[in-house]
């Protein structure tokens, strides 16, 4: 009888510990945090993955996920997604070489961008003037006029961080282009 009661007590304690552990545990990867202030004076927080694969932008109570599809640094692969609904907010199109680079938003708005290179950096120009300027390898503050331009500018901030930083040695990135061609499993 004593063994049964001690066994029952151990099972109950294990069940309580397991239930508590499953309620409080949450997976969270370490991120680099970038903070800046929007034109309205609100704090904007961007968290960049330690492997520089994606960034999470928190702006005016909304969250956005910025990344390149298949991790290719081309404007055609640029994506801005809302993580809760998985809705693609904006997508990059065109090319800088042909002068057709643009961000197409889900509501039909298009932000055309042009890249002008100079000896010490480059400038991304949008419909209402400069959107993003790099001078002497540093980002220069630029005023944006609407939310779409701000999100486009935030994507270029993420791109600059991705291009100038290297992944730390404790982060291992593995690419595989192996596709199974036979039906054998």
């Amino acid at each position: 009888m004593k063994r049964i009661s001690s066994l029952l007590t151990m099972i109950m304690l294990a069940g309580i510990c397991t239930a508590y552990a499953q309620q409080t545990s949450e997976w969270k990867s370490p991120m680099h945090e970038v903070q800046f202030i929007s034109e309205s004076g609100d704090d904007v927080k961007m968290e960049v993955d330690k492997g520089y694969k994606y960034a999470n932008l928190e702006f005016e109570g909304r969250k956005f996920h910025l990344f390149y599809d298949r991790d290719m640094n081309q404007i055609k692969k640029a994506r801005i997604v809302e993580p809760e609904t998985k809705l693609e907010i904006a997508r990059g199109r065109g090319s800088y070489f042909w002068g057709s680079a643009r961000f197409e938003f889900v509501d039909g708005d298009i932000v055309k961008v042009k890249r002008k290179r100079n000896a010490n950096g480059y400038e991304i120009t949008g419909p209402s003037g400069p959107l993003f300027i790099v001078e002497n390898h540093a980002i220069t503050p630029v005023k944006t006029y609407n939310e779409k331009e701000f999100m486009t500018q935030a994507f270029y901030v993420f791109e600059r961080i991705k291009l100038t930083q290297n992944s730390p040695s404790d982060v291992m990135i593995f690419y595989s282009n192996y596709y199974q061609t036979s039906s054998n499993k």
Side-chain angles (χ1 to χ4, degrees):
M1 187 69 173
K2 197 173 193 179
R3 284 187 179 179
I4 294 175
S5 66
S6 63
L7 181 63
L8 203 56
T9 305
M10 286 178 42
I11 291 173
M12 286 178 47
L13 284 174
I16 291 171
C17 291
T18 304
Y20 180 72
Q22 289 178 356
Q23 289 176 355
T24 59
S25 68
E26 179 180 323
W27 286 96
K28 192 156 184 138
S29 62
M31 307 281 270
H32 296 295
E33 193 170 297
V34 180
Q35 289 188 347
F36 48 103
I37 298 174
S38 69
E39 296 302 321
S40 62
D42 297 333
D43 286 336
V44 177
K45 184 171 74 169
M46 180 187 292
E47 293 179 333
V48 181
D49 172 50
K50 283 215 177 200
Y52 304 104
K53 294 259 195 192
Y54 64 91
N56 292 325
L57 178 70
E58 197 171 316
F59 171 61
E60 294 181 353
R62 296 173 61 199
K63 294 182 181 182
F64 301 99
H65 192 70
L66 315 171
F67 64 98
Y68 281 104
D69 187 33
R70 297 181 187 243
D71 201 30
M72 297 175 149
N73 290 354
Q74 300 172 355
I75 189 145
K76 293 184 230 179
K77 302 291 184 178
R79 304 287 188 268
I80 301 174
V81 175
E82 195 168 5
E84 288 87 24
T85 61
K86 308 283 191 262
L87 177 69
E88 187 175 274
I89 301 296
R91 149 183 245 157
R93 295 282 193 190
S95 119
Y96 296 113
F97 182 77
W98 299 108
S100 62
R102 64 197 180 276
F103 275 87
E104 294 179 354
F105 287 84
V106 71
D107 61 358
D109 286 347
I110 296 174
V111 177
K112 293 184 180 180
V113 293
K114 293 183 181 177
R115 181 183 297 190
K116 297 179 195 171
R117 295 187 184 269
N118 60 38
N120 292 320
Y122 59 93
E123 178 178 319
I124 303 293
T125 307
S128 46
L131 277 177
F132 184 74
I133 299 175
V134 173
E135 291 178 332
N136 300 323
H137 304 289
I139 298 172
T140 304
V142 176
K143 181 177 179 166
T144 56
Y145 292 100
N146 59 38
E147 181 181 302
K148 307 242 178 354
E149 286 185 359
F150 179 75
M151 288 174 55
T152 304
Q153 182 186 60
F155 195 90
Y156 282 108
V157 170
F158 164 63
E159 178 189 48
R160 183 68 183 168
I161 291 169
K162 181 178 177 62
L163 291 175
T164 58
Q165 303 297 315
N166 292 328
S167 298
S169 61
D170 61 338
V171 175
M172 191 178 236
I173 300 171
F174 178 72
Y175 295 100
S176 174
N177 286 338
Y178 173 74
Y179 299 105
Q180 187 173 0
T181 56
S182 72
S183 61
N184 296 338
K185 293 189 179 185

